[in-house]
Amino acid sequence: MASGWPRIILHADMDAFFAAVEQLDRPELRGKALLIGGTGPRGVVSTASYEARPYGVGSAMPMALARRRCPHAIVLPPRFERYRAVSRVVMRTLGAFSPLVEPLSVDEAFVDMTGCEALSGEPRTMGEAVRRAVFRATKLTVSVGVSTTKYVAKVASDRGKPDGLTVVGPEEVTRFLHPLPIDRLWGVGPRTRERLEAHGIATIGNVAATPLDTLERWLGSLGTHVHALAHGRDSRAVVPEREAKSIGSENTLDTDIAGEDAIRPWLLRAADTVARRMRDEGLAARGVRVKLRTTDFRLHTRQTLLGSATHATRPIAEAAEALLQEFDLGRPVRLVGVAAFELREAKGGEGNAEQLDLFDAPRDVHDERLDRTLDAVRKRFGDQALTRARTLDRGRGSPRDGFREE
């Protein structure tokens, strides 16, 4: 191989993606502290612009805390449809370099560039070309890491943020990793970090110097995993177009609610969002799952299978509504969610993915036309341009909808 690398794995990570898209679309926001996320009392920061980060704010932080730390920040609700549209452009751009692209989320992906030297040059040249191509296609910056494994490439992309390129060759892997703190190892969360620190382990280099049997005694099978990563070993392949196991939408409520009448509008709104996402992505689902999180933070779920795979809103909403009867609705809830599972490609492009029943066809065709009309209006004028009457929450306020691909 011309580069002498056994593999060339690239990790591309868009910089402050949600905030950057908002600043792209609204030039008056450029250079200003910006927080994207829920605005209610239980809101969470999805993304903070780089102008806000020096104030100690970041993703997954309660919005109330972020606003106290950065009171001059502009707070905006997320526009997931817009972010997904830009994401599709990013993924197509990456796909022009290699067919082996594995999206991790809307704003990051692995690309296996092994064997592409003749077309794209040496690893550093590849990374520079990817950064330029993404910026040309989106006018947004991306940070890129290039190394011999997925793990090291991902750590490297973070090292150069924002708008950076970090290349870690085979002979540089341990020198790059070993000074880093142990929580940069995948799988090492706060509890594992505390356990390792209690044994005097503070850096990845310390982990690498610890005998494998000792780590296994302390951490069980996780010890084997972190020992391999600390030595730069990660044999996982880049899996193109990783299939989502489910598509879900969750609404975290500003105030707790109880009872069918209060919960139903939120449930139907989530079902509508899930169905719309499936239509956007050309998918249909055979199963529907409902999730309720009660005020004691316990999660309760129920699920069912549909007669045929579909991406139409009506059958998904009806299935979710039927599942609602299986919960104790007298208990206050703080989160309402719906997910579609057993996903498959929606054949034929419209309506149900499978053959319609002769007697159901007229209603399904009508539903399909309504769904497509609503989709078109929302894409042009925004998600709130048209709302189904049954999803109205009768004055309880707007939801903070969080899309999740599981």
Side-chain angles (χ1 to χ4, degrees):
M1 186 174 296
S3 66
W5 290 32
R7 292 198 300 167
I8 304 174
I9 307 299
L10 183 147
H11 180 258
D13 192 0
M14 302 299 292
D15 298 317
F17 184 51
F18 293 0
V21 172
E22 298 298 341
Q23 291 174 326
L24 175 69
D25 290 351
R26 296 175 56 182
E28 70 273 15
L29 298 177
R30 296 173 189 174
K32 296 183 179 180
L34 185 62
L35 302 175
I36 309 299
T39 57
R42 291 174 177 165
V44 175
V45 176
S46 296
T47 305
S49 70
Y50 283 101
E51 295 84 357
R53 295 186 187 189
Y55 296 88
V57 301
S59 60
M61 175 180 289
M63 183 63 77
L65 174 59
R67 298 182 82 163
R68 286 197 298 271
R69 291 186 176 181
C70 189
H72 62 285
I74 299 169
V75 181
L76 295 176
R79 295 187 298 150
F80 293 105
E81 295 286 349
R82 172 62 173 151
Y83 308 148
R84 287 202 303 275
V86 178
S87 174
R88 286 192 286 270
V89 176
V90 172
M91 299 307 165
R92 284 198 301 268
T93 303
L94 297 177
F97 288 88
S98 168
L100 300 178
V101 177
E102 179 181 348
L104 297 180
S105 62
V106 294
D107 62 345
E108 62 176 319
F110 288 113
V111 186
D112 190 336
M113 301 285 287
T114 307
C116 296
E117 293 97 324
L119 293 175
S120 302
E122 296 298 299
R124 180 170 294 277
T125 304
M126 292 176 181
E128 291 171 346
V130 165
R131 291 177 60 241
R132 288 194 301 269
V134 170
F135 185 79
R136 282 197 302 268
T138 66
K139 299 299 183 289
L140 300 173
T141 62
V142 60
S143 292
V144 171
V146 188
S147 193
T148 57
T149 68
K150 294 170 77 172
Y151 167 63
V152 179
K154 184 168 172 61
V155 175
S157 69
D158 187 62
R159 184 72 170 268
K161 276 187 167 291
D163 193 20
L165 169 64
T166 301
V167 180
V168 183
E171 72 288 350
E172 302 171 308
V173 167
T174 55
R175 187 165 65 249
F176 171 73
L177 290 177
H178 285 185
L180 300 178
I182 53 177
D183 56 8
R184 297 309 307 274
L185 289 167
W186 286 348
V188 175
R191 291 185 180 179
T192 303
R193 185 188 68 227
E194 290 176 3
R195 293 174 65 184
L196 289 171
E197 288 176 341
H199 292 287
I201 307 296
T203 68
I204 293 178
N206 295 151
V207 174
T210 304
L212 175 58
D213 59 350
T214 301
L215 289 171
E216 290 175 336
R217 187 168 65 251
W218 293 344
L219 305 176
S221 60
L222 180 60
T224 309
H225 169 73
V226 298
H227 186 266
L229 292 184
H231 285 278
R233 296 194 296 267
D234 177 16
S235 60
R236 292 170 307 151
V238 172
V239 181
E241 295 298 328
R242 185 181 62 176
E243 287 189 12
K245 297 178 182 177
S246 68
I247 289 178
S249 173
E250 299 173 355
N251 297 308
T252 301
L253 310 178
D254 289 341
T255 58
D256 300 334
I257 60 175
E260 182 178 351
D261 289 344
I263 296 172
R264 183 189 296 109
W266 300 92
L267 184 83
L268 297 178
R269 182 180 282 117
D272 187 27
T273 299
V274 167
R276 178 153 41 105
R277 277 206 63 192
M278 286 195 292
R279 291 190 292 272
D280 284 347
E281 299 183 23
L283 298 173
R286 180 76 196 285
V288 174
R289 181 183 302 118
V290 170
K291 172 193 293 188
L292 300 181
R293 190 182 300 277
T294 49
T295 52
D296 57 5
F297 288 90
R298 292 185 178 180
L299 185 63
H300 307 269
T301 63
R302 300 289 188 275
Q303 65 184 46
T304 188
L305 291 177
L306 304 171
S308 62
T310 185
H311 56 204
T313 296
R314 177 183 58 80
I316 293 170
E318 289 178 351
E321 197 168 6
L323 288 171
L324 194 61
Q325 310 306 315
E326 300 181 18
F327 293 88
D328 176 3
L329 301 180
R331 304 175 65 179
V333 302
R334 56 178 287 122
L335 178 147
V336 179
V338 173
F341 61 95
E342 287 203 15
L343 301 180
R344 61 198 69 182
E345 183 180 352
K347 300 185 185 303
E350 293 191 356
N352 287 349
E354 298 180 1
Q355 181 66 42
L356 300 175
D357 183 274
L358 175 63
F359 299 102
D360 288 340
R363 184 182 183 187
D364 285 313
V365 169
H366 172 77
D367 288 342
E368 177 70 25
R369 290 173 179 167
L370 175 60
D371 287 341
R372 295 292 182 183
T373 300
L374 288 173
D375 292 348
V377 171
R378 287 162 168 168
K379 285 179 181 178
R380 182 171 181 180
F381 298 106
D383 289 350
Q384 305 305 317
L386 280 178
T387 302
R388 296 172 189 265
R390 296 190 70 204
T391 68
L392 294 177
D393 56 10
R394 303 181 186 278
R396 287 189 178 270
S398 298
R400 297 186 307 280
D401 185 67
F403 294 116
R404 190 185 72 262
E405 201 167 284
E406 299 173 329

